[in-house]
């Protein structure tokens, strides 16, 4: 197609270009004082003004985008609800989309509907015209966050492409471009093995393989967040899932029911172990693979991020001959890792330690592990009863999930056994209420519980982080006192290849510990509720998880935004 660069694209004539701040004031979504503060914040932190306003909590992305759209007379595009076809996306190279912050959405006759982060960017419009030949362009405003999320969900990162070509050679081209592997399926076989090993290399906890109408999305969960690494053609979904099923010894002919399986492969330093789960979805089968380590990675209590006082307390409780030690938090917060570290710390040939788990994700030398198998009649309750007849000194129950198991565990803790277990609660105070909700008498809870550890995992800043300024809005939002800032080294994420551009690499644990005091036990014996417990804990200057998280951010390990994303302020 011969294009005349001097012939500009036909687009709706926008009003004279104004600064974003002016437009938002005219839209009455911010005032002049907020704009001044945001501009100061922008000078310190860099980035765009809109990002500064969102960071300060005065706008969310939706309000920012709708306010601008209203002033510019444009429609807002919700990228999360759209699915541009591959043919439309191929109108522009991925590099041009990322550089100019635009996405071709749909072709309507001779008009190209174009999603734009900055609809007044005339250079971007000229480039789209040059690349596509469309003179009629209809801009739609999209938020910066939704733009990044969309591209990351639809395009393979360049670093992964290099890794894949290095491992598979020309076979990678079939997987990434054509989606037509050879008759013997060799590229798919090699791809699946590469994917498993690549996930281990990247420190992922899970692999998600999700089929859609035109592509397969392969994501890794790293440091608690999902990252898209590959989006091969949809035709590859069945052979990829089938190969995984073969490795996991699952039924490849059954596609209408969920299935579970296991994969074990030899690694360079260890045996790699994966738990596989498949689930029928609209466009095929979704497959999730959990990465496990069976041997050799024993956690050390002193390296889990406890303060010295916390570490001394947990070691003292673990040395008791009887009682209940509970670790609480949501799924994926590292509860089992913490308790395995406790077991590793007290493991000794002189004591009998038995665990009941579902599944047994890590085996510790010298410890007897029992795998729950409900189909075979081995439940948490039945196994715990049997274990108590095996003369144990220490019992680890994977989860106190119901009244039966909780009652047996508490009785064991009161009759000469140290019992370790987990609960899904948000904090230490809620743990006592949850036990009471399971039907346990509060006077037994008061006598049995020796320590409750509540924890969260927050992302640790990558080495690419840079110093961050401090402003009054942050102090007010997080309740930070001026004296806390004297030694503060606040940082902000940047992003580099090492951290996949996220600005974070690895995770750090935030803890909240309580060993019930005499006053707390008295409140429990009298049937006191969570409110009464909170009052006593506050009187005794409880160090809440929120405070521990802020301290981590002030030390430069993570960010205040990450703390706010992960931890709730205490109920005072």
């Amino acid at each position: 197609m011969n294009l005349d660069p001097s012939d500009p694209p036909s687009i709706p004539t926008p009003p004279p270009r104004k600064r974003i701040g002016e437009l938002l004031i005219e839209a009455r979504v911010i005032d002049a004082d907020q704009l001044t503060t945001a501009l100061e914040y922008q000078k310190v932190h860099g980035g765009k003004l809109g990002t500064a306003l969102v960071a300060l909590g005065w706008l969310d992305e939706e309000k920012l985008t709708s306010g601008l759209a209203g002033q510019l007379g444009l429609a807002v595009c919700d990228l999360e609800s759209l699915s541009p076809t591959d043919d439309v996306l191929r109108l522009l190279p991925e590099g041009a989309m990322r550089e100019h912050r635009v996405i071709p959405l749909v072709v309507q006759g001779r008009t190209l509907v174009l999603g734009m982060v900055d609809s007044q960017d005339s250079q971007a419009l000229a480039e789209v015209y040059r690349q596509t030949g469309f003179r009629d362009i209809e801009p739609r405003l999209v938020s910066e966050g939704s733009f990044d999320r969309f591209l990351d969900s639809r395009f393979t990162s360049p670093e992964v492409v290099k890794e894949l070509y290095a491992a598979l050679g020309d076979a990678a081209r079939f997987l990434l471009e054509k989606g037509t592997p050879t008759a013997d399926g060799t590229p798919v076989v090699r791809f699946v093995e590469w994917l498993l090993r690549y996930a281990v290399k990247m420190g992922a906890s899970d692999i998600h393989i999700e089929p859609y109408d035109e592509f397969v999305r392969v994501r890794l969960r790293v440091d608690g967040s999902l990252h898209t690494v590959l989006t091969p053609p949809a035709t590859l979904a069945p052979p990829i899932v089938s190969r995984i099923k073969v490795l996991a010894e699952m039924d490849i002919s059954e596609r209408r029911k969920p299935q579970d399986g296991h994969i074990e492969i030899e690694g360079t330093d260890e045996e790699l172990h994966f738990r596989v789960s498949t689930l029928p979805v609209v466009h095929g089968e979704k497959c999730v693979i959990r990465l496990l380590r069976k041997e050799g990675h024993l956690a050390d209590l002193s390296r889990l991020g406890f303060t010295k006082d916390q570490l001394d307390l947990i070691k003292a409780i673990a040395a008791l001959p009887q009682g209940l030690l509970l670790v609480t938090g949501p799924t994926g917060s590292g509860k089992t890792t913490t308790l395995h570290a406790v077991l590793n710390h007290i493991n000794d040939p002189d004591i009998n330690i038995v665990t009941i788990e579902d599944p047994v994700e890590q085996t510790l030398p010298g410890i007897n592990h029992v795998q729950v198998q409900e189909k075979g009649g081995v439940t948490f309750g039945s196994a715990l009863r049997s274990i108590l007849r095996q003369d144990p000194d220490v019992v680890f129950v994977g989860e106190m999930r119901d009244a039966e198991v909780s009652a047996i565990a508490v009785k064991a803790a009161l009759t000469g056994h140290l019992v370790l277990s987990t609960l899904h609660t948000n904090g230490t105070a809620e743990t006592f209420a949850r036990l009471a909700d399971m039907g346990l008498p509060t006077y037994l809870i008061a006598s049995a519980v020796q320590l409750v550890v509540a924890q969260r995992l927050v992302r640790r800043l990558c080495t690419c982080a840079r110093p961050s300024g401090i402003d009054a809005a942050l102090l007010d939002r997080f309740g930070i006192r001026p004296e806390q800032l004297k030694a503060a080294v606040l940082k902000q994420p940047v992003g580099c290849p090492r951290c996949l551009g996220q600005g974070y690499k690895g995770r750090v644990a935030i803890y909240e510990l309580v060993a019930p005091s005499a006053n707390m036990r008295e409140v429990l014996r009298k049937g006191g509720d969570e409110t009464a417990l909170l009052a006593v804990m506050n009187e005794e200057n409880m160090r809440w998880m929120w405070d521990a998280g802020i301290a981590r951010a002030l030390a430069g390990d993570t960010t205040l935004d990450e703390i706010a994303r992960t931890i709730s302020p205490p109920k005072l």
Side-chain angles (χ1 to χ4, degrees), residues 45-81:
H45 296 270
K48 296 188 176 182
L49 177 63
T51 304
L53 289 165
V54 172
L56 289 168
W58 291 328
L59 292 177
D60 55 29
E61 281 193 341
E62 184 178 344
K63 193 171 183 180
L64 171 65
T65 306
S66 62
L68 291 173
Q71 288 303 108
L72 295 170
L74 298 175
V76 177
C77 170
D78 179 14
L79 279 176
E80 276 76 7
S81 65

Side-chain angles (χ1 to χ4, degrees), residues 108 114 203 239 278 282-283 314 340 352 372 382 408 439 513:
Q108 297 176 340
L114 186 70
T278 61
V282 172
H283 295 293
I314 199 169
H340 275 197
N352 179 19
V372 169
S382 66
I408 301 171
L513 275 67

Side-chain angles (χ1 to χ4, degrees), residues 89 92-102 104 147 151 155:
L89 287 176
L92 278 177
E94 179 191 349
M97 283 190 254
R98 292 189 184 276
E99 179 183 355
H100 297 288
R101 317 292 282 170
V102 297
F147 175 87
L151 282 194
F155 293 99

Side-chain angles (χ1 to χ4, degrees), residues 180-200:
T180 53
T182 57
D184 62 359
T186 300
V188 170
V189 171
R190 293 176 60 195
F191 167 72
V192 170
E193 181 176 353
W194 171 84
L195 178 61
L196 296 176
R197 295 185 185 277
Y198 179 73
V200 173

Side-chain angles (χ1 to χ4, degrees), residues 421-453:
S421 191
T422 68
L423 271 178
H424 288 87
T425 64
N426 291 324
T428 52
E430 293 180 14
T431 300
F432 299 96
R434 178 66 55 82
L435 292 173
D437 290 342
M438 290 180 174
L440 294 174
T442 54
Y443 67 88
L444 289 183
I445 298 172
S447 300
V449 176
Q450 299 297 326
L451 180 67
V452 179
V453 179

Side-chain angles (χ1 to χ4, degrees), residues 23 34 43 173 188 195-196 228 240 248 267 279 292 429 444 564:
L23 293 171
Q34 289 173 324
K43 289 179 183 177
R173 179 168 53 85
V188 170
L195 178 61
L196 296 176
T228 301
I240 288 174
L279 179 71
L292 310 170
L444 289 183

